[in-house]
Amino acid sequence: MTEPKNTERDPAEGFSADWLRLREPLDLAARSEALAQGFKSALKPREGQALRLIDLAAGAGANFRALAPLLQADQEWLLVDHDPLLLQAQREEISNWARQHGWRCVDEGGVLSIEAGNARWQVRGQQLDLARDLERIDLPWCDGLVTTAFLDLVSSAWLDRLCALLAAVPRPLLATLSVDGRRTWHPALAADEFIGEAFVAHQAGDKGFGESLGGQAAASLAEKLGAHAYRVSVQPSDWRIGAAHGEMLLTMAREAATVALEVNPSREASVSAWQAERSAQAARGDLSLVVGHLDLLGVPV
Ligand SMILES: C[S@@+](CC[C@H](N)C(=O)[O-])C[C@H]1O[C@@H](n2cnc3c(N)ncnc32)[C@H](O)[C@@H]1O
């Protein structure tokens, strides 16, 4: 399938920092608090050391911003991504976020050092193509592995590689916000069904890791990790996008229409009518959308 151009991702340009900024408040509201607390309890810091965490496909650092205040303790983070623009954005977004919270943040030779009350957090980026070089992540260095909004991009074979690493070097894993394929618009329109089906087909396209798991990612990882002596818990973390997030609703409608047209070019008239109706509803504050996501916690037993 040809990759459609959309706001979320242009195959030539990767994910935009604007898109990641738009989704961050929805992600924050959707995350499972229970699984995040379970992850915190499962971490076993080394004597006298800061907690060490690796974030796979960290983008502009949203996972760090969500988890560091919850983990509270001194922490060292390695934020891995292949996109140099997002690695640059990490430093800007994290510095701005720290300053907004009134925390001192200094860049010490590429390592951000944040003083947040009694805790000190150090953050550095690492450029790595996780499709090719997953095995180069320094798993023994860290106490826990996290990833967010990423696993739906990867293939079943890539998850096997990740699970083989986690079997060899057991570490708690918190994998948040994998889409699960559900999208429910309110109010419903007749065209929702074929537009939704086109989106699910698009999610199964190759995002650089082979055929993506899309909505099957969390279930697949749960099964594979369970076979490697991990206790796995899965919780819903759905986006509930209402009138307060008008720009996101317009973005999601535009993106769904673009994908639907790529998959069904002959249905241009219905897709255009659908998008126009959704835009009008969003402008009136009458539109909402639930996007199904799942959070997964794996703890070695
Ligand atoms: C939907 S974004 C999520 C980013 C971030 N975790 C967040 O929640 O804001 C997916 C991320 O996967 C990264 N990514 C995609 N393919 C990758 C690869 N082959 N190696 C490393 N990172 C990759 C993208 O650069 C992007 O940052």
Side-chain angles (χ1 to χ4, degrees), residues 98-145:
R99 285 191 196 106
Q100 278 160 18
H101 282 80
W103 297 326
R104 186 162 176 269
C105 176
V106 286
D107 190 333
E108 296 168 337
V111 181
L112 289 180
S113 192
I114 301 165
E115 283 169 25
N118 293 330
R120 185 159 187 247
W121 303 331
Q122 290 193 312
V123 190
R124 67 195 155 95
Q126 180 185 15
Q127 187 174 9
L128 196 67
D129 177 353
L130 289 167
R132 195 185 57 203
D133 294 327
L134 172 65
E135 287 73 15
R136 285 183 50 204
I137 62 168
D138 194 357
L139 202 51
W141 171 84
C142 76
D143 303 307
L145 188 64

Side-chain angles (χ1 to χ4, degrees), residues 210-241:
E211 190 180 329
S212 347
L213 283 159
Q216 302 307 311
S220 176
L221 179 59
E223 193 184 325
K224 290 174 194 287
L225 261 190
H228 283 292
Y230 273 71
R231 191 176 62 249
V232 179
S233 318
V234 176
Q235 292 275 329
S237 51
D238 295 351
W239 279 359
R240 299 184 181 282
I241 319 175

Side-chain angles (χ1 to χ4, degrees), residues 8-9 15 19-20 23 27 55-63 80-83 86 128-131 148-150 153 207 209:
E8 176 188 347
R9 182 174 193 267
F15 289 84
W19 161 253
L20 299 182
R23 63 173 294 158
D27 285 343
D55 185 11
L56 299 181
N63 215 9
V80 180
D81 207 280
H82 69 154
D83 185 333
L86 290 179
L128 196 67
D129 177 353
L130 289 167
T148 192
F150 174 57
L153 305 180
K207 311 290 192 304
F209 296 82

Side-chain angles (χ1 to χ4, degrees), residues 1-11 15 19 152-154 179 181 183 194-208 210-215 252 254-264:
M1 192 176 79
T2 319
E3 284 272 351
K5 287 201 186 328
N6 60 42
T7 316
E8 176 188 347
R9 182 174 193 267
D10 180 320
F15 289 84
W19 161 253
D152 39 81
L153 305 180
V154 309
V179 293
R183 280 186 168 220
F194 88 83
I195 286 172
E197 284 168 4
F199 206 83
V200 167
H202 157 65
Q203 282 179 330
D206 186 341
K207 311 290 192 304
E211 190 180 329
S212 347
L213 283 159
M252 298 297 277
R254 185 169 59 242
E255 181 191 56
T258 305
V259 170
L261 263 186
E262 291 246 356
V263 177
N264 305 286

Side-chain angles (χ1 to χ4, degrees), residues 235-283:
Q235 292 275 329
S237 51
D238 295 351
W239 279 359
R240 299 184 181 282
I241 319 175
H245 295 277
E247 189 185 348
M248 182 54 115
L249 285 170
L250 287 176
T251 300
M252 298 297 277
R254 185 169 59 242
E255 181 191 56
T258 305
V259 170
L261 263 186
E262 291 246 356
V263 177
N264 305 286
S266 61
R267 301 184 78 166
E268 185 174 359
S270 356
V271 172
S272 298
W274 180 88
Q275 190 183 347
E277 178 63 20
R278 289 309 187 197
S279 302
Q281 289 169 340

Side-chain angles (χ1 to χ4, degrees), residues 20 24 31 55 57-67 77 79 81 86-87 89-91 93-94 97 123 148:
L20 299 182
E24 189 165 347
R31 285 166 170 266
D55 185 11
N63 215 9
F64 163 74
R65 289 188 289 280
L67 291 173
W77 283 75
L79 306 189
D81 207 280
L86 290 179
L87 289 167
Q90 277 173 11
R91 293 150 70 136
E93 304 266 333
I94 291 171
W97 169 81
V123 190
T148 192

Side-chain angles (χ1 to χ4, degrees), residues 33 36-37 40 65-73 75 121:
E33 171 77 21
Q37 291 295 348
K40 180 178 177 180
R65 289 188 289 280
L67 291 173
L70 186 139
L71 298 176
Q72 289 168 336
Q75 298 159 43
W121 303 331

